[in-house]
Amino acid sequence: MHVLTRGVRPSIPPARRTGQCYGKHTFAIDVAQEAIDNFSRDKVKFGWKDGCSFEGISKTTQRDSRSFGIDVEHSLEEHIAAMEEESTELPGTDGLAPKQRHQAKHRELFLSRHVETLPATHIRGKCTVTLLNETESLLSYLNKDDAFFYCLVFDPSQKTLLADKGEIRVGSRYQTEVTNLLKEEPRNSEDLETLVWTPEHGLTDRQIDQFLVVSRSVGTFARALDCSSSVKQPSLHMSAAAASRDITLFHAMDTLHKSGYSIEGALSSLVPASGPVLCRDEMEEWSASEANLFEEALDKYGKDFTDIRQDFLPWKTLKNLVEYYYMWKTTDRYVQQKRVKAVEAESKLKQVYIPNYNKPNPALVSSGGGAGAGGAPAAAGKAGAVLNGGTNGTAAPNLCASCQVTNSNQWYAWGPQHLQYRLCGSCWQYWKKYGGLKTAGVFGESEAEAAKGAREGDETALSASHRPHRCTVLNCAKEFKLRAHLARHVATAHGAGEGARPVMKTRAAFYLRASPFTRLARRLARALRRPRHYAHSPFSPINLHQVKHECTLAMAGGVGAGIGAEVRGAARARGPVGAVAARLAAAHGGAAPRAQDWLTLTPRDRMPAPNHVAFPKPPKAPDGSLMYERVASRAELEARRNEPAPAPVLTPAPPLKRRAYDDINGLDMYYVVLQEPPRPPHPPHPYTMEALLG
Amino acid sequence: MAMQPHSKKRVCYYYDSDIGNYYYGQGHPMKPHRIRMTHNLLLNYGLYRKMEIYRPHKATADEMTKFHSDDYIRFLRSIRPDNMNEYNKQMQRFNVGEDCPVFDGLYEFCQLSAGGSVAAAVKLNKQASEICINWGGGLHHAKKSEASGFCYVNDIVLGILELLKYYQRVLYIDIDVHHGDGVEEAFYTTDRVMTVSFHKYGEYFPGTGDLRDIGAGKGKYYAVNIPLRDGMDDESYESIFVPIISKVMETFQPSAVVLQCGADSLTGDRLGCFNLTVRGHGRCVELVKRFGLPFLLVGGGGYTIRNVSRCWTYETSVALGVEIANELPYNDYFEYFGPDFKLHISPSNMSNQNTPEYLEKIKNRLFENLRMLPHAPGVQVQAIPEDAVNDESEDEDKIDKDERLPQSEKDKRITGEGELSDSEDEGEGGRRDNRSYRAPQRKRPRLDKDLAHHKDDTNNEDSKDDVKNVSNLEEPKKEATPSA
Ligand SMILES: [Zn+2]
Ligand SMILES: [Zn+2]
Ligand SMILES: [Zn+2]
């Protein structure tokens, strides 16, 4: 079973594919499903052996390497190359309309050798995933629902995507030498084979059949004469059955052949002077006690015949055991055993009932209008409220963000909340299945850009989707539509040195923000804190419940009007640094120093001008005002932080399930930030399986 | 239409009664026992008596090193389960261990499998038979110095090498669900062997067999790969098999054919993912047989053993041109075939991911490649004594009446085909890329038949036979074991 993941299409030429850098990017694909991306989402597919796949859903990153995968150690050019090729590399897109090309990207998945098991109740549909063949047109996928293709496979051991293609090796170590045509006679067959039967026997089928019956009769009679046989086969019927086994027939055929296909000669060799010929196979040869021993051994060792022979039946050969085993499998004993096992398995097999999924999706906007005060999902209501505030009029309220229709039975909130995007019913379905927009919509060709921006933070969200990217280097301020282009510009025009770095986002910054309550608790539950103890034993847990309890008690008891001060702390007036120095010198008994020159500040106008301004002022607009990039308002930030339930699209990642990935990738920090918003005990996650096809 | 007795093929069959007792190990899907099950079915169907049955010799190390490297064969000869520990390094080097375990009698097993295919090839070289069968062979993954995919010694390569001593061009066809990588690699740079493999491709063992792999050096365009997807059914399989093979026959004009009949392409195989029935699988044998070339049939994969033995039994009957009853005859392993105890199996309801468009595209690409072959291969240097050279016109008459030609005659026909091909070229003109099943030479008897009509002639050609002759013999049902 394989999991297929959508993610970054690595478009780096094969030579680079194996590079370390590459591993990083592709790794992000897997990681991101759970942890990183809360804007775009994706499918995880479960391929079954019969070629059917069931699709579940999980969040993942879109086709971007910038927001997380980039490692500072890697050269910039490499990444730019990756980004440039990213959108163009999909094979077979020639001759497709732009819209089709756009949609074709949604049909690509990356096979992963990672195996995951999901409850069957999460199955929402069936899809086919096939290896894209070069002769195929991508149209054949677009024309079919739920048809996906893949070209590359993620190899977790190498942490890279590979075109999983074996290789026929060329060289004298692999090919055979081919002999020339010979003129002499072919080899002598006598050394190569022994004739056992020929059809050129001159006997009719009838005659052969008759001879076979006779040989069985002889066998039956031989069993009657044989003491050991008559014990095992008390009835004539059983003796006849034993004499009809294939070994008797094969022997009869051999006898016919050896006697030159003369029935007469064969008959006489069936009944030599020593008595009628008796042919017994392993099945008949074995005694009842041996058979019991064998079954016991089989129970104990399984089909490890070497062990069975050693410990149970050393007087048999391995071949005896194998032959007996395959015959034993036809016995009633075995068939019964098998039947019991089958019934057991049947009883263990649970019937999986997959209910029709018709829960309303939390992203569903209750009414067509913009003012979604109608209560249903908090997300929709919120969206409406912000819209009325008119903080930004970026999206027309009644337009589908994808196909631009204004009429739809259902609307779904989509994208970061403050952007107010919504999708019509059919575009929503498409989004859920393919993780992309049906048409590039309001985003033009840069839908992914918008998605990315939203992920990275408010200010960039806006700038990414609505503003050109401007070069930040002094006196340049060139504008670019895509960030990739800006990056290339920076690298080429301004040198790929340190200055260019900030364009690329490196690892996401984070900090642990202690809430007022936490800070208060630190002081109130001092007795429980014991920092020295915990510093020595970092793995012993701190009893948070106890801390909370103590803290609430202390607060309820009004331990002091001092609480406010405790928390806030008080600024101490220490005076200017010169005065402090003088005080310290006095305390140490030294003479009061003179006011040091180096301790007085240089007047502003006499400050030396730096060669290079690290944070230059933004350029001036024609009216003389500075053009700052928009920073999200405090209210906006506040609103987001206080969001009680996860928003439909801007959702905190579900609890850390893929720790292994995060650990390896070092992305857990980013993850912490995403985790920050407080969440109800069981957050309704819009991109869990349940949400699919809601 | 009553068949003449002589319209049957002379079939040689190779089997060693020990083969079923080699055991790869607990839980290993490869079970040589399936070959014995086939053999017992053949006996009880009455097919055994219609063939020449041979016990093959054990191929010598000398014979095996015609392809394999000396140190690899030396290693196979010396390794045993009880001395494995001394060979850790070599086991790794030769890829022996996991998929290809060391088991008791491993070397002997390889000897028997290879011995059968080599003896069969020699038999064809001598023209002492028209069709040879070695179900114990077909181990197509084995490499020159490496075991792979349950295969240690590549009996097919050894057999083809033997055939190449007397036949200018040998066609290898592989209908195992896996790519025939061992054979393809061995002959990747030669134009005397064309390898054609139909297989599942994409995240599947052994990972080779891309459409773009077409051979190298002199062998460029002499490797043909048909990458397929899950769920191939009889109809789709035939829709790609017939045009490709016809085109290959037309352009490559082989003088002998080896068909690997891996039965893991059957529906319900433990390791496979196709949806072929025994009939659909056997259809390939029937179609190749039609070309009337010296024909070697070998086994291969196949991991749902009851179906493997059904399949190879049926294919033996096809080779013989004999119809057999759907009701399975009683035999030692009868219980394996429950609950229906029938020869033929039904396809499953799995979906076929090979759309007609996909197959069409693949086919067209392969046709493009085949067009790159020099259309009239060099005149064959045939050194086989042509003892029975007859007057040409007499031959023509004979062909009409008699399907079966002595081998020497056919070879003679192929020998003189250079100029014929040229004229055919002109005649065919621009319709080369059409699905032309018509073979270019009127002189090759089997090619004369337009394969497009094959459905019609199936019934009145080879297969219609006196069913009574081979039908189940009336027998008392044998009890299972009285003792256990
Ligand atoms: Zn990198
Ligand atoms: Zn829409
Ligand atoms: Zn196979």
Side-chain angles (χ1 to χ4, degrees), chain A residues 443-642:
Chain A
F443 302 110
E445 273 299 305
S446 60
E447 169 217 327
E449 288 288 317
K452 258 171 259 150
R455 207 186 304 129
E456 280 165 10
D458 318 68
E459 63 265 82
T460 38
L462 284 174
S463 66
S465 49
H466 302 290
R467 286 200 195 178
H469 296 270
R470 189 184 297 118
C471 179
T472 51
V473 175
L474 203 63
N475 299 327
C476 179
K478 276 198 175 122
E479 291 183 350
F480 298 91
K481 222 176 178 177
L482 290 175
R483 238 187 330 177
H485 297 162
L486 171 65
R488 184 182 50 183
H489 157 76
V490 172
T492 51
H494 307 300
E498 288 299 310
R501 277 268 154 77
V503 180
M504 316 293 300
K505 188 160 179 173
T506 58
R507 208 162 275 186
F510 87 107
Y511 76 107
L512 285 169
R513 190 172 64 91
S515 69
F517 181 80
T518 312
R519 279 186 280 160
L520 183 62
R522 281 182 191 154
R523 283 156 199 267
L524 291 179
R526 232 172 226 149
L528 292 170
R529 247 172 75 204
R530 301 165 64 204
R532 183 175 293 224
H533 165 74
Y534 285 113
H536 282 124
S537 45
F539 296 108
S540 67
I542 296 175
N543 189 339
L544 284 178
H545 285 290
Q546 204 186 345
V547 172
K548 264 186 200 164
H549 183 68
E550 295 260 319
C551 187
T552 22
L553 276 185
M555 281 165 77
V559 164
I563 286 182
E566 285 255 27
V567 175
R568 258 177 264 119
R572 267 190 231 167
R574 293 189 177 92
V577 68
V580 174
R583 270 210 310 279
L584 281 173
H588 287 278
R594 293 169 291 112
Q596 300 278 353
D597 283 347
W598 55 270
L599 282 174
T600 51
L601 294 171
T602 314
R604 204 164 270 259
D605 53 318
R606 280 211 267 143
M607 295 251 275
N611 299 332
H612 174 79
V613 180
F615 297 98
K617 277 187 183 169
K620 281 184 180 172
D623 62 351
S625 64
L626 291 174
M627 296 196 303
Y628 286 102
E629 301 242 303
R630 185 186 175 281
V631 177
S633 72
R634 204 188 157 79
E636 268 177 84
L637 288 172
E638 207 58 36
R640 184 132 355 102
R641 195 164 295 132
N642 293 340

Side-chain angles (χ1 to χ4, degrees), chain B residues 286-327:
Chain B
E286 197 182 322
L287 291 166
V288 175
K289 182 192 166 197
R290 248 165 227 287
F291 289 94
L293 296 163
F295 191 14
L296 172 56
L297 279 162
V298 292
Y303 307 99
T304 299
I305 56 173
R306 56 178 187 279
N307 290 345
V308 178
S309 48
R310 282 174 161 126
C311 182
W312 291 346
T313 300
Y314 177 67
E315 281 165 2
T316 308
S317 81
V318 169
L320 276 164
V322 156
E323 207 167 280
I324 53 175
N326 192 23
E327 208 67 45

Side-chain angles (χ1 to χ4, degrees), chain B residues 35-276:
Chain B
I35 302 159
R36 173 166 52 200
M37 287 167 69
T38 309
H39 190 69
N40 286 28
L41 274 179
L42 292 176
L43 172 76
N44 289 289
Y45 257 127
L47 293 171
Y48 181 103
R49 62 181 75 166
K50 299 194 175 306
M51 303 184 285
E52 276 173 40
I53 313 275
Y54 289 98
R55 190 171 59 243
H57 77 308
K58 287 183 177 149
T60 61
D62 227 27
E63 285 175 284
M64 295 197 255
T65 51
K66 290 279 187 306
F67 169 51
H68 293 287
S69 65
D70 295 358
D71 49 350
Y72 175 53
I73 294 300
R74 207 176 306 126
F75 162 78
L76 286 181
R77 196 161 53 170
S78 32
I79 192 149
R80 292 189 312 271
D82 58 324
N83 67 4
M84 264 165 68
N85 299 333
E86 302 157 33
Y87 287 90
N88 276 335
K89 235 191 195 142
Q90 291 198 58
M91 281 174 68
Q92 221 159 28
R93 181 167 140 220
F94 297 126
N95 191 32
V96 168
E98 241 167 77
D99 266 5
C100 307
V102 177
F103 59 86
D104 225 71
L106 159 65
Y107 185 64
E108 274 177 26
F109 174 74
C110 296
Q111 283 182 299
L112 289 177
S113 154
S117 295
V118 169
V122 170
K123 181 73 67 188
L124 292 175
N125 281 343
K126 292 180 138 179
Q127 302 166 44
S129 168
E130 291 156 298
I131 301 178
C132 287
I133 299 174
N134 178 26
W135 296 131
L139 304 177
H140 61 163
H141 293 306
K143 309 289 184 334
K144 194 168 182 173
S145 309
E146 200 181 304
S148 170
F150 321 153
C151 308
Y152 306 83
V153 168
N154 201 316
D155 63 289
I156 306 171
V157 172
L158 296 174
I160 292 177
L161 282 176
E162 195 61 45
L163 290 173
L164 285 172
K165 290 179 182 170
Y166 297 93
Y167 294 104
Q168 175 63 28
R169 288 178 299 279
V170 175
L171 172 63
Y172 170 70
I173 306 171
D174 187 316
I175 58 171
D176 193 283
V177 74
H178 300 102
H179 177 230
D181 58 338
V183 185
E184 182 176 298
E185 187 168 281
F187 298 110
Y188 208 57
T189 54
T190 178
D191 57 358
R192 289 188 59 202
V193 178
M194 178 176 276
T195 58
V196 181
S197 178
F198 298 81
H199 50 266
K200 151 84 180 173
Y201 183 69
E203 270 299 284
Y204 204 67
F205 186 86
T208 45
D210 192 278
L211 186 62
R212 286 167 289 188
D213 293 343
I214 53 169
K218 259 178 107 181
K220 192 170 177 190
Y221 303 116
Y222 289 87
V224 177
N225 283 303
I226 300 93
L228 301 168
R229 293 169 175 167
D230 291 7
M232 278 300 280
D233 55 25
D234 292 353
E235 198 188 338
S236 323
Y237 209 89
E238 190 171 336
S239 79
I240 186 102
F241 188 86
V242 168
I244 296 287
I245 293 304
S246 309
K247 197 73 173 175
V248 161
M249 290 287 185
E250 181 189 319
T251 50
F252 181 60
Q253 303 191 352
S255 23
V257 192
V258 179
L259 177 61
Q260 197 264 17
C261 299
D264 44 12
S265 40
L266 289 177
T267 183
D269 188 81
R270 186 171 157 192
L271 301 184
C273 56
F274 282 178
N275 199 12
L276 296 182

Side-chain angles (χ1 to χ4, degrees), chain A residues 2 48-52 111 113 128-137 141 144 150 153 164-170 172-189 191-199 201 205 208-209 212 216 232-233 237-238 241-242 244-247 249-250 253-254 281 283 286 288 291 301-305 318-319 322-327 329-333, chain B residues 14 18 20-23 26 31 33 36 39-40 43-44 48-57 63 66-67 104 108 118-119 122-123 125-126 143-144 146 157 161-162 164-168 179 181 184-190 192 201-203 207-208 210-213 216 227 229-230 269-273 331-333 335-336 350-351 353 355 358 361-362 365 381 383 385 469 473 475 478-484:
Chain A
H2 292 117
W48 284 9
K49 204 180 133 199
D50 66 355
C52 296
L111 210 64
R113 290 181 177 132
T128 59
V129 184
T130 44
L131 174 66
L132 182 71
N133 188 284
E134 56 181 317
T135 60
E136 278 183 302
S137 151
Y141 289 89
K144 259 183 288 175
Y150 72 93
V153 183
D164 181 51
K165 191 175 178 301
E167 191 196 3
I168 294 291
R169 302 158 298 182
V170 176
S172 60
R173 286 168 57 204
Y174 308 109
Q175 272 73 49
T176 181
E177 274 169 44
V178 173
T179 38
N180 285 324
L181 289 178
L182 298 182
K183 303 234 177 206
E184 70 260 30
E185 283 290 318
R187 305 165 60 168
N188 196 348
S189 277
D191 319 331
L192 298 174
E193 61 196 21
T194 316
L195 184 69
V196 176
W197 179 266
T198 169
H201 43 60
D205 270 348
I208 295 174
D209 293 342
L212 290 178
R216 277 184 295 227
K232 274 193 268 179
Q233 297 141 3
H237 188 77
M238 285 168 88
S244 298
R245 292 184 61 81
D246 290 344
I247 191 166
L249 305 184
F250 281 123
M253 299 298 267
D254 284 348
D281 57 22
M283 183 74 120
W286 286 42
Y301 288 150
K303 287 175 267 175
D304 191 331
F305 298 128
L318 213 59
K319 282 185 181 179
V322 174
E323 186 175 333
Y324 180 77
Y325 167 71
Y326 283 119
M327 289 175 168
K329 283 181 80 169
T330 65
T331 59
D332 288 350
R333 284 283 273 276
Chain B
Y14 291 82
D18 259 354
N21 288 333
Y22 293 98
Y23 188 73
Q26 182 167 14
K31 295 179 168 69
H33 173 58
R36 173 166 52 200
H39 190 69
N40 286 28
L43 172 76
N44 289 289
Y48 181 103
R49 62 181 75 166
K50 299 194 175 306
M51 303 184 285
E52 276 173 40
I53 313 275
Y54 289 98
R55 190 171 59 243
H57 77 308
E63 285 175 284
K66 290 279 187 306
F67 169 51
D104 225 71
E108 274 177 26
V118 169
V122 170
K123 181 73 67 188
N125 281 343
K126 292 180 138 179
K143 309 289 184 334
K144 194 168 182 173
E146 200 181 304
V157 172
L161 282 176
E162 195 61 45
L164 285 172
K165 290 179 182 170
Y166 297 93
Y167 294 104
Q168 175 63 28
H179 177 230
D181 58 338
E184 182 176 298
E185 187 168 281
F187 298 110
Y188 208 57
T189 54
T190 178
R192 289 188 59 202
Y201 183 69
E203 270 299 284
T208 45
D210 192 278
L211 186 62
R212 286 167 289 188
D213 293 343
R229 293 169 175 167
D230 291 7
D269 188 81
R270 186 171 157 192
L271 301 184
C273 56
N331 65 86
D332 280 353
Y333 306 106
E335 286 76 8
Y336 284 52
M350 79 187 286
S351 66
Q353 298 189 358
T355 57
Y358 173 75
K361 292 222 160 95
I362 295 280
R365 171 62 62 87
V381 187
N469 284 347
L473 305 171
E475 287 176 55
K478 293 172 257 184
E479 291 297 325
T481 168
S483 59

Side-chain angles (χ1 to χ4, degrees), chain A residues 21 25 74 79:
Chain A
C21 159
H25 296 170
H74 296 140
H79 293 289

